[in-house]
């Protein structure tokens, strides 16, 4: 039986779902307008299989404020400012979790959280493996009339994470997507995998596409993701 607790890691409140005998850590990163509670609710069965789940609210999310509004003239810029902040905090939380628990650490992200997973990997963060649910390593298309002022966000468009595959260190990565996703089109995920393929050995970069699924982490995606993590956890075992 797993228990829930709120931990402080890297100075942030982190929701943890802790199994009796944890064998791995999974830092789960939620999407735009999501929360730490929501992303953990989408990963049933993980703790029961010995995965210690960790999640925290991104900047301007959950207990930390209001997400960017699509009505804002700087909406896209604000979204990726959140992503950049989320990525910096995620790295700090992940490192603190590894120090505290001394267990192999995996990453998972949904939608914007998946983009943050790519930010971490392209920045050289070495996880045991990673899941990118309903997301990609390319930023969203800039709407007509919207401009960028933040040079850090501009840099994401000039050199997206997916075009920095040489920095991923072949960290095992599975993309999970639906054929009917209207928020992050399937083609953007496929473009990500295509860009990363030259930098990966056989079996370390994978994709799973669920027919008819939209922009949601489905129970089937969650199960496939867990199987992927367990496979790489076994690979690590002596």
């Amino acid at each position: 039986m797993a228990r829930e607790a709120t931990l402080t890691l890297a100075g942030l409140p982190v929701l943890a779902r802790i199994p009796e005998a944890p064998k791995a850590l999974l830092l789960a990163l939620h999407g735009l307008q999501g929360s730490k509670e929501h992303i953990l609710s989408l990963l049933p069965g993980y703790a029961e299989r010995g995965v210690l789940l960790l999640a925290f609210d991104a900047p301007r999310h959950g207990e930390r404020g209001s997400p960017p509004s699509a009505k804002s003239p700087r909406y896209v810029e604000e979204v990726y400012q959140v992503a950049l902040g989320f990525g910096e905090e995620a790295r700090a939380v992940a490192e603190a979790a590894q120090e505290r628990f001394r267990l192999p650490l995996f990453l998972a992200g949904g939608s914007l959280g998946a983009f943050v997973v790519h930010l971490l990997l392209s920045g050289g963060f070495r996880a045991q493996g990673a899941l990118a649910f309903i997301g990609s390593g390319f930023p969203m298309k800039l709407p007509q009339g919207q401009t960028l002022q933040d040079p850090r966000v501009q840099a994401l468009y000039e050199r997206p994470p997916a075009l920095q595959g040489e920095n991923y260190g072949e960290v095992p990565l599975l993309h999970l997507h639906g054929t009917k996703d209207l928020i992050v089109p399937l083609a953007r995920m496929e473009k990500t995998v295509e860009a990363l393929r030259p930098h990966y050995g056989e079996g370390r970069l994978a994709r799973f596409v669920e027919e008819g699924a939209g922009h949601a982490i489905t129970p089937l995606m969650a199960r496939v993701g867990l199987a992927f993590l367990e496979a790489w956890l076994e690979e690590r075992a002596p």
Side-chain angles (χ1 to χ4, degrees):
M1 177 74 79
R3 63 181 178 89
E4 284 202 353
T6 299
L7 312 176
T8 299
L9 296 172
L12 291 165
V14 177
L15 182 61
R17 190 167 292 162
I18 306 172
E20 291 182 0
K23 59 186 180 182
L25 302 171
L26 177 64
L27 178 58
L29 306 171
H30 66 74
L32 192 65
Q33 300 184 355
S35 68
K36 58 185 180 298
E37 293 83 7
H38 184 242
I39 188 66
L40 291 193
S41 75
L42 299 174
L43 301 173
Y46 281 59
E48 290 73 14
R49 298 292 286 269
V51 179
L52 196 165
L53 296 166
L54 301 168
F56 68 99
D57 290 327
R60 298 184 60 175
H61 284 73
E63 300 171 354
R64 304 178 66 186
S66 301
S69 168
K71 296 180 180 178
S72 170
R74 297 179 60 235
Y75 172 66
V76 171
E77 188 165 46
E78 291 174 9
V79 166
Y80 288 105
Q81 285 172 335
V82 167
L84 288 164
F86 202 12
E88 291 170 0
E89 293 176 346
R91 178 184 285 267
V93 168
E95 290 172 350
Q98 287 178 304
E99 178 70 21
R100 177 165 178 168
F101 293 103
R102 303 290 181 178
L103 292 169
L105 182 134
F106 294 86
L107 298 171
S111 194
L112 184 68
F115 184 80
V116 174
V117 166
H118 280 281
L119 276 180
L120 289 166
L121 297 181
S122 68
F125 184 80
R126 295 293 180 261
Q128 182 68 26
L131 305 176
F133 292 101
I134 58 174
S136 83
F138 289 94
M140 71 176 84
K141 184 178 180 181
L142 196 63
Q144 187 173 3
Q146 288 198 12
T147 58
L148 299 174
Q149 299 174 14
D150 190 328
R152 301 175 305 155
V153 177
Q154 184 68 48
L156 293 179
Y157 279 81
E158 292 174 354
R159 194 161 185 247
L163 296 184
Q164 301 180 54
E166 68 278 6
N167 297 333
Y168 281 55
E170 289 194 283
V171 170
L173 175 59
L174 171 64
H175 283 85
L176 305 105
H177 223 88
T179 58
K180 303 296 185 182
D181 194 328
L182 301 180
I183 305 299
V184 180
L186 177 60
R188 203 154 90 218
M189 182 276 278
E190 300 285 18
K191 180 182 177 183
T192 298
V193 173
E194 181 181 350
L196 292 174
R197 185 70 69 191
H199 304 283
Y200 269 84
E202 186 176 355
R204 301 181 72 87
L205 179 66
R207 55 186 283 285
F208 171 77
V209 178
E210 184 175 347
E211 185 65 37
H215 191 68
I217 300 175
T218 68
L220 178 56
M221 290 181 195
R223 289 196 300 272
V224 172
L226 177 57
F228 183 82
L229 298 188
E230 290 184 322
W232 285 104
L233 189 60
E234 291 176 5
E235 183 78 12
R236 181 180 185 276

